Amino acid sequence: MEIPVIDFNELDGEKRSKTMALLHQACEKWGFFQIENHGIDKELMDKVKQLVNQHYEENMKKRFYDSEIPKSVENTGNTTNIDWESTFFIWHRPNSNIHEITSLSEDLCKTMDGYIDQLINLAEKLSELMSENLGLEKGYIREAFTGSKGPSVGTKVAKYPQCHNPELVRGLREHTDAGGIILLLQDDKVPGLEFFKDGQWVEIPPSKNNTIFINTGDQLEVLTNGMYKSALHRVMTDKNGSRLSIATFYNPAGDAIISPATKLLYPNHFRFQDYLNFYAQTKFGDKGTRFVSIKKMTNGH
């Protein structure tokens, strides 16, 4: 099963319409895809990964293996409520807490901030493309996420440590993401991420050439009235290596009121006989146009 790849270089030329259609299909049928030529500085991405890996080795690795998680897996095999991961979370917008995380080096803080500035631009560009594909105003998703202080942006930095008994425990149990658009910078060697599609788990290969992996969250599914899906996913453990995951969440503000875009709602609260009368006149026309007309009729137009 080949994962959709969206090439942002093809958005400005004659392949734009084809690329936009591929993006729409990826959001509608998959809920996850990869972006090539996204415009983020790849040297900066490499440095983020290098510094996070260094931070893990110096500050997190020993603490993880000394924790109750490995002991529980080895001693009892009871892993139903356990995730084999070592993580920390950074808030970026509306307010940053990166300098409050005392163990982070100044170099990591500065590099992460530079990466996130570029990544937010990508997230907002992507939200505009999604809005366009949905027939909404260009800034619709961004505005819907804004609330009183603007969209909320945070990053879960995770290492999924090497595990000698991968059959006993998940790196991260099956779930969908609560938020909006998730932008993942992941390991280029160690696998583990899997998404559920069409009744089977799809293995997501490690990201080569610093492609950005995208998945859509629950709030985007609500906002699009179910057109775009939040996909179930999980992380498997690996006995041969530790996997890096830097997942940035472009989410609604905490006080943003989320509801389906009115334009994407089906018509409702109409009498069936009224629908039949209009259907008799438009039976051989486009169904979508008929729904729009019925919606206008029920709204008093």
Side-chain angles (χ1 to χ4, degrees):
M1 192 177 293
E2 193 168 343
I3 301 160
V5 177
I6 312 300
D7 186 345
F8 266 36
N9 276 353
E10 297 184 346
L11 286 169
D12 297 324
E14 59 185 20
K15 294 183 178 179
R16 176 180 168 80
S17 60
K18 180 181 178 181
T19 304
M20 289 293 285
L22 180 60
L23 173 62
H24 185 61
Q25 183 183 49
C27 294
E28 190 176 35
K29 305 295 185 184
W30 292 71
F32 56 96
F33 52 92
Q34 296 183 82
I35 298 180
E36 290 183 341
N37 298 311
H38 40 66
I40 299 175
D41 185 335
K42 292 194 174 182
E43 289 186 6
L44 188 63
M45 298 169 77
D46 283 334
K47 189 172 182 181
V48 168
K49 291 192 292 185
Q50 180 257 316
L51 290 172
V52 168
N53 279 327
Q54 180 181 327
H55 175 78
Y56 169 74
E57 292 293 331
E58 294 176 354
N59 298 278
M60 301 170 69
K61 183 176 180 178
K62 184 179 185 302
R63 187 164 67 242
F64 173 80
Y65 285 114
D66 288 343
S67 73
E68 292 301 315
I69 294 173
K71 295 174 186 176
S72 179
V73 172
E74 292 173 10
N75 295 338
T76 70
N78 180 14
T79 63
T80 55
N81 296 311
I82 293 176
D83 298 312
W84 187 272
E85 62 175 0
S86 179
T87 73
F88 61 93
F89 196 91
I90 306 170
W91 284 110
H92 310 289
R93 305 286 190 279
N95 300 305
S96 174
N97 73 338
I98 194 166
H99 293 288
E100 298 170 18
I101 304 173
T102 55
S103 60
L104 299 186
S105 70
E106 186 61 33
D107 197 11
L108 176 53
C109 291
K110 182 178 178 180
T111 304
M112 181 67 77
D113 280 345
Y115 167 66
I116 291 299
D117 285 344
Q118 294 188 28
L119 196 67
I120 290 174
N121 290 335
L122 175 61
E124 294 189 337
K125 173 67 173 177
L126 192 53
S127 76
E128 290 175 355
L129 296 173
M130 290 177 177
S131 295
E132 181 181 339
N133 267 336
L134 292 162
L136 303 170
E137 296 81 4
K138 181 179 178 180
Y140 188 92
I141 292 174
R142 184 176 66 251
E143 290 301 316
F145 282 10
T146 293
S148 62
K149 297 181 179 178
S152 175
V153 182
T155 297
K156 177 185 176 183
V157 179
K159 286 286 286 189
Y160 296 93
Q162 184 175 4
C163 179
H164 296 302
N165 298 292
E167 71 282 357
L168 295 180
V169 63
R170 299 272 193 269
L172 186 60
R173 288 162 288 166
E174 294 81 355
H175 66 287
T176 61
D177 288 326
I181 299 172
I182 298 85
L183 306 97
L184 173 66
L185 174 59
Q186 67 162 346
D187 209 288
D188 56 6
K189 294 183 177 65
V190 181
L193 181 62
E194 296 183 351
F195 273 74
F196 195 71
K197 176 171 168 44
D198 299 335
Q200 61 181 307
W201 287 101
V202 179
E203 295 181 3
I204 309 301
S207 293
K208 303 298 182 183
N209 301 314
N210 282 329
T211 56
I212 293 288
F213 186 86
I214 305 291
N215 68 281
T216 48
D218 295 347
Q219 303 315 302
L220 208 59
E221 181 166 337
V222 171
L223 196 70
T224 64
N225 199 37
M227 288 186 67
Y228 289 175
K229 309 297 185 188
S230 63
L232 191 68
H233 55 287
R234 66 187 183 185
V235 177
M236 307 302 284
T237 50
D238 193 285
K239 64 181 178 181
N240 298 314
S242 298
R243 175 178 172 270
L244 173 66
S245 168
I246 304 172
T248 299
F249 299 83
Y250 182 79
N251 286 351
D255 62 352
I257 305 300
I258 303 299
S259 59
T262 303
K263 193 171 184 179
L264 303 180
L265 290 171
Y266 282 108
N268 55 74
H269 293 95
F270 56 84
R271 288 196 318 148
F272 180 52
Q273 187 60 54
D274 292 335
Y275 184 89
L276 282 178
N277 293 342
F278 189 71
Y279 177 80
Q281 305 168 37
T282 61
K283 179 176 181 178
F284 300 107
D286 176 67
K287 176 179 67 176
T289 302
R290 181 161 61 244
F291 283 172
V292 170
S293 298
I294 290 292
K295 192 188 300 185
K296 288 180 178 178
M297 291 167 56
T298 59
N299 289 337
H301 297 300

